[in-house]
Amino acid sequence: MRREVQLTELGRGRGPRVLLLPGLGARGSGFRALAEQLAPVARPVLVEYPEGAHAACGAGALARQVLIAAGRMDAVVASSFGGMVATHLAAAGAARGVAFLGAFTRPSQLGLRGRAIAMMGPIAVLGRPGVVAAGLAAWKPVPFGQVSEVVPTTKLERSTTWHRALAIGDEPPPPSLRRLPVSCVCIQGDRDVLVPPSTLERLCASLPEGTPGHLLRGAGHVPYFTHPEECARLLRPWLEALLPSTAAEPTVQPARPLAVGSAA
């Protein structure tokens, strides 16, 4: 059982350091194919969340644990619920850029689905998602050996998803990034059945003006897993634009403490 955030550094070059944050019940290792695509221009870091009932549950509490483990980063690429975690980090000054992949900063951006997000916990435990659920999320068949990268498959993962999903509503939503100096980009699958494509417009409207939004045709809820080449093509220019300040990384001031209760 993981009692703290676990990091896997996949690159140690001079590119921007970018954390890859999974969604509510997915594994960070599912980002590996995208990380390999980004490695020539960045320093990808896979993130695995703590597990069990004792683990930090809500997005704000989880963001604090990620910050303790990873320190300040250049950018975050976040999937689904990971977008809320990334937003807390960016609002605290811990990241200069955030890429949202089938993600959101507040459940309200999901429309009616946002009101039922807590149900993802009971669904994970009682529904026991497997090959069919993974295929539905990915919008394509997922090999049996990779199902665990997309949906929670062990008893511990399902229990963790239960606790985290139920805790989302117990915290204030993350602060708004609209007027903050954060570089953002949004990528959404047009076949996403969990975070509907209509989320993209609402998400972009909540981010700094000019934030680009990209709709990937044929992609489901985990485009980083099913379409790593297309995601990398869209992310590389964004990451390269974050390069200028990386040379000064050793002298960057530490991030401000996360204040979960300061939602705007």
Side-chain angles (χ1 to χ4, degrees):
M1 177 188 296
R2 287 190 302 276
R3 296 184 179 274
E4 56 188 22
V5 171
Q6 177 180 303
L7 305 177
T8 302
E9 305 262 355
L10 295 182
R12 299 185 180 278
R14 294 183 60 83
R17 184 168 181 255
V18 53
L19 263 63
L20 307 176
L21 294 180
L24 197 61
R27 295 182 183 179
S29 56
F31 274 100
R32 186 170 293 274
L34 176 59
E36 292 172 354
Q37 291 286 326
L38 297 178
V41 299
R43 293 174 289 157
V45 182
L46 303 182
V47 178
E48 300 291 356
Y49 299 144
E51 297 174 309
H54 72 282
C57 291
L62 188 55
R64 286 196 295 269
Q65 287 204 359
V66 170
L67 182 56
I68 290 171
R72 192 183 188 282
M73 67 247 21
D74 293 301
V76 182
V77 174
S79 169
S80 193
F81 159 81
M84 295 180 67
V85 181
T87 302
H88 278 294
L89 291 170
R96 294 186 292 114
V98 180
F100 297 90
L101 274 62
F104 50 94
T105 66
R106 301 186 177 203
S108 59
Q109 293 167 354
L110 279 65
L112 293 177
R113 286 177 176 82
R115 300 179 184 179
I117 193 169
M119 292 302 298
M120 295 302 296
I123 289 172
V125 172
L126 303 177
R128 300 176 62 84
V131 174
V132 174
L136 183 63
W139 203 252
K140 64 182 296 186
V142 176
F144 183 78
Q146 293 182 287
V147 168
S148 61
E149 307 287 0
V150 180
V151 296
T153 55
T154 68
K155 182 178 180 179
L156 181 58
E157 287 175 336
R158 291 167 180 150
S159 173
T160 301
T161 303
W162 172 293
H163 289 288
R164 195 157 285 142
L166 294 180
I168 291 175
D170 293 337
E171 289 184 346
S176 173
L177 300 181
R178 181 68 175 172
R179 294 178 174 82
L180 296 182
V182 180
S183 174
C184 298
V185 61
C186 305
I187 301 173
Q188 176 75 43
D190 72 343
R191 299 296 181 179
D192 193 332
V193 298
L194 298 177
V195 176
S198 58
T199 302
L200 181 62
E201 183 177 354
R202 292 189 286 267
L203 173 61
C204 289
S206 73
L207 299 173
E209 187 174 356
T211 294
H214 305 280
L215 196 62
L216 283 184
R217 295 190 178 278
H221 186 56
V222 286
Y224 61 88
F225 179 81
T226 58
H227 296 67
E229 295 86 0
E230 291 91 332
C231 288
R233 175 178 56 82
L234 295 170
L235 292 174
R236 285 190 197 106
W238 170 73
L239 285 169
E240 290 169 351
L242 294 174
L243 277 171
S245 66
T246 56
E249 186 177 6
T251 63
V252 169
Q253 295 298 314
R256 300 185 296 277
L258 283 164
V260 177
S262 62

